[in-house]
Amino acid sequence: MESRHGVLLRALSAGRRSYNKELTKFEVVKGFERQHASMTHEQETKDTSAAPSQPTDAQGKPAAPGAPGKPRQHDKVTRMGTESIPRLITEFAIPSILGMLVNGAYNVIDSIFLGQAMGEIGLATATVAMPIMTVFMAIAMLVGNGGNALAALRMGEGKPEEAERSLGNTVTLSLIASVVVAIAMFVPACIDGLLSVSGATPEDWDYAMQFIRIISLGFIFQCIGMGVNNFIRTAGAPNRALGTMIIGAVACTVFNALFVLVMGMGVVGSALATVCGQAISCATVLWYFCLTKGVPMRLRLRMMPLHGETVRLILSLGLASFAVQAGMAAVNFVLNNLLNMYGAQSPIGAEGALASIGVVQRVASFVVLPLIGMSIAIQPLLGFNYGAHLFKRVKMTLAWGIAGNTVIAVVLWALVHLFPVQIVGFFGITDPNLLSFTVFALQVQLFLIPFVGFQIVGSNYFQATGQPAKSVFLSLTRQILFLIPLYVGLPMVMPVWFPGYTGLDALYFACPVADFLAIFTTGVFVLLELKRLRKLENGQLQAKF
């Protein structure tokens, strides 16, 4: 007992010394950056420069050990530059991962209830609607993730008002985007064109149209409930962010059971249930920023008018997230049409292929969500420390994020290979041939998932640190540069090279090949970035944003 007590005291003492050291470094950097804010602040900055080793309080007196000095920020935010990185990542990652799973549960919940109530036609309808819904998500993430990344950087620079401007402009952009989306989905040429490229058949055309139009009317709830939700994490309240998502997902499940199974409303009921769940989640997000006391950022009307430079930065930083989702939508558009073509040549038929691969795509997307959740969790930590010029902490955050994502991916890979029949059967697929085909396709498509976590964290790192061009390129590598050409080309050559496989089989073999190429490309970029960070840390380069 005494030994443990001694270890604890030594750990606390070491932690306090580390805290003071990092805090002093943070104070010096930020003091120089803000020395022109005002004459009073200028004098305070000079004082700080003269004696950087000891922070001061608001009256200029020496601060207590570990107490924050100038510039003052909310403790929930400044701790991102001082506390233990593994502990911060754990605190942020658990609710973020659970939140992504909850958010992704909307599509899975719809598929499960439609599959149980309507069979293959219900699953085919959900598969046709999926790429269009992914486009909606891409727009929400363009605005939400971009605004959140900018807010984290501004918080790290000690500019809370600019962070609030990012929040206000994000909400305004969400309102504008929701109006445009809702109008577009009721223009016949637009909705018909989307359904055509999404691979809709005469059997599921009307069902898919009803579903998409109802979802589009509630798009504003998705924009705020999902996109603006990320700001809550940057405000230092990851558990609150998770709570807003859980409330919406639980409501969606309850309404789906009521509307689809009890009232027999089918596709219309499932779409209404999704909108109701998203509306409840949206309300809780707005409540946090408008009515909760003591938050580091608040949604203010004066910050909502669009500001040109802020909008530009939001859209540029969000472009990587948009590219990922838009790439997924493009992949699904191409895949659905290829499923119709090659499925018609196979024993399971076009509807069976849409239903089967639709289930595989949903499970694959759901498996990737925890990996995306980890990358989102470390985004404010990366952005804050990069903005504060704490590059050693940036490298540590990146390393711990990659390690954590790899562990999660290995666990998910094991679950998919241990319980594939149970997972597929949960969606209502009972035909033995279709079940066998779906299980094999699922295992092949997720073969390299243990290494995909690195690729996701690596590409997201560049978004979090204000390098959108690199992030966009890496986000596009798997979906656009590699996967779509493989989808088109592999079915032509695989049956020739391996006569036991068909063109339909080649569609799911394309995924691990694309994964390998994307992982390798990201590895090259990350190695080059680590060299750049060393130069920044040594003062050989100047960080610019």
Side-chain angles (χ1 to χ4, degrees):
M1 181 65 70
E2 293 181 359
S3 176
R4 292 182 180 178
H5 185 65
V7 170
L8 178 59
L9 289 176
R10 287 195 298 274
L12 289 173
S13 177
R16 188 179 293 110
R17 289 194 300 270
S18 176
Y19 177 95
N20 290 334
K21 179 180 178 181
E22 293 290 357
L23 183 59
T24 300
K25 184 177 181 181
F26 174 76
E27 293 296 333
V28 173
V29 173
K30 294 299 106 188
F32 278 114
E33 287 183 350
R34 303 179 65 187
Q35 60 183 339
H36 299 295
S38 64
M39 291 299 295
T40 301
H41 198 171
E42 182 178 357
Q43 183 61 46
E44 292 172 350
T45 303
K46 291 178 180 178
D47 295 340
T48 302
S49 301
S53 61
Q54 188 175 12
T56 59
D57 61 15
Q59 286 76 34
K61 300 177 182 179
K70 294 286 183 179
R72 294 281 296 183
Q73 292 191 47
H74 200 286
D75 289 343
K76 288 184 177 180
V77 176
T78 56
R79 68 196 182 101
M80 289 190 281
T82 58
E83 289 188 4
S84 164
I85 288 174
R87 183 166 60 246
L88 284 170
I89 290 178
T90 302
E91 178 186 347
F92 278 60
I94 292 175
S96 177
I97 290 169
L98 292 176
M100 286 302 298
L101 290 173
V102 169
N103 189 61
Y106 284 102
N107 286 340
V108 176
I109 290 169
D110 291 337
S111 299
I112 290 173
F113 280 101
L114 288 176
Q116 296 290 341
M118 301 174 65
E120 285 186 18
I121 190 65
L123 289 173
T125 299
T127 301
V128 169
M130 185 176 179
I132 302 175
M133 293 180 67
T134 305
V135 172
F136 293 172
M137 184 177 290
I139 297 171
M141 294 182 76
L142 169 68
V143 177
N145 285 15
N148 178 58
L150 179 59
L153 286 165
R154 293 304 183 231
M155 282 292 193
E157 293 172 339
K159 301 176 181 177
E161 284 197 4
E162 290 300 313
E164 286 190 344
R165 187 184 303 279
S166 177
L167 172 61
N169 277 217
T170 297
V171 172
T172 302
L173 289 171
S174 297
L175 291 170
I176 295 172
S178 65
V179 172
V180 173
V181 166
I183 293 174
M185 292 304 101
F186 282 84
V187 175
C190 184
I191 185 67
D192 289 346
L194 284 174
L195 290 174
S196 295
V197 298
S198 191
T201 64
E203 290 80 9
D204 52 44
W205 185 285
D206 291 337
Y207 290 124
M209 179 180 291
Q210 290 175 335
F211 189 88
I212 291 301
R213 281 182 167 172
I214 293 172
I215 294 295
S216 70
L217 291 175
F219 180 58
I220 180 59
F221 304 132
Q222 181 182 9
C223 267
I224 295 178
M226 184 189 70
V228 180
N229 176 279
N230 292 330
F231 283 82
I232 301 179
R233 273 185 287 271
T234 297
N239 291 326
R240 184 67 174 266
L242 171 61
T244 64
M245 291 186 172
I246 290 178
I247 291 173
V250 170
C252 178
T253 304
V254 172
F255 284 124
N256 255 296
L258 177 63
F259 295 158
V260 178
L261 298 183
V262 178
M263 300 176 65
M265 296 174 64
V267 168
V268 172
S270 182
L272 288 174
T274 299
V275 171
C276 289
Q278 291 172 343
I280 292 173
S281 180
C282 171
T284 59
V285 170
L286 292 177
W287 181 283
Y288 177 81
F289 286 111
C290 296
L291 300 176
T292 303
K293 295 181 180 179
V295 296
M297 284 185 287
R298 190 168 293 281
L299 181 59
R300 307 179 193 276
L301 286 176
R302 64 185 176 87
M303 294 297 186
M304 291 184 67
L306 296 180
H307 179 262
E309 180 64 11
T310 301
V311 171
R312 184 189 71 80
L313 290 171
I314 287 173
L315 297 181
S316 64
L317 289 172
L319 193 58
S321 296
F322 176 83
V324 171
Q325 296 299 319
M328 290 176 62
V331 165
N332 287 326
F333 283 133
V334 172
L335 178 60
N336 286 355
N337 284 279
L338 292 173
L339 287 172
N340 279 326
M341 180 171 68
Y342 291 110
Q345 304 170 12
S346 72
I348 64 175
E351 290 296 326
L354 281 171
S356 174
I357 301 301
V359 168
V360 172
Q361 291 292 97
R362 274 170 166 71
V363 174
S365 298
F366 198 72
V367 166
V368 169
L369 285 176
L371 310 182
I372 297 175
M374 173 64 82
S375 69
I376 291 175
I378 67 174
Q379 185 182 71
L381 304 178
L382 289 169
F384 183 93
N385 286 289
Y386 191 89
H389 293 192
L390 301 177
F391 300 116
K392 183 177 180 180
R393 291 179 63 84
V394 171
K395 291 191 293 184
M396 290 178 64
T397 302
L398 176 61
W400 279 101
I402 291 172
N405 241 12
T406 302
V407 171
I408 294 170
V410 170
V411 172
L412 294 171
W413 181 88
L415 290 174
V416 167
H417 283 75
L418 288 173
F419 308 105
V421 175
Q422 292 84 348
I423 293 172
V424 172
F426 199 56
F427 289 85
I429 293 181
T430 56
D431 180 82
N433 292 329
L434 193 59
L435 180 64
S436 176
F437 174 82
T438 307
V439 166
F440 183 68
L442 177 64
Q443 292 178 323
V444 171
Q445 181 160 328
L446 295 179
F447 181 70
L448 286 183
I449 199 69
F451 306 99
V452 171
F454 161 75
Q455 197 274 333
I456 293 174
V457 169
S459 61
N460 185 75
Y461 162 85
F462 293 101
Q463 179 186 29
T465 55
Q467 303 177 71
K470 295 178 183 178
S471 185
V472 170
F473 174 77
L474 291 176
S475 300
L476 290 175
T477 53
R478 182 190 185 273
Q479 307 288 359
I480 303 297
L481 299 180
F482 300 141
L483 190 54
I484 289 181
L486 285 167
Y487 270 153
V488 175
L490 202 57
M492 300 179 184
V493 299
M494 188 172 178
V496 178
W497 295 343
F498 306 97
Y501 293 98
T502 66
L504 185 61
D505 294 321
L507 294 178
Y508 51 81
F509 271 98
C511 293
V513 177
D515 286 335
F516 172 79
L517 295 173
I519 292 165
F520 177 80
T521 304
T522 302
V524 173
F525 273 71
V526 169
L527 288 175
L528 293 174
E529 178 65 13
L530 290 175
K531 292 181 180 179
R532 192 179 77 91
L533 284 175
R534 281 195 292 270
K535 292 181 179 180
L536 287 170
E537 195 173 1
N538 296 331
Q540 296 174 268
L541 288 177
Q542 181 67 35
K544 295 181 180 180
F545 174 70

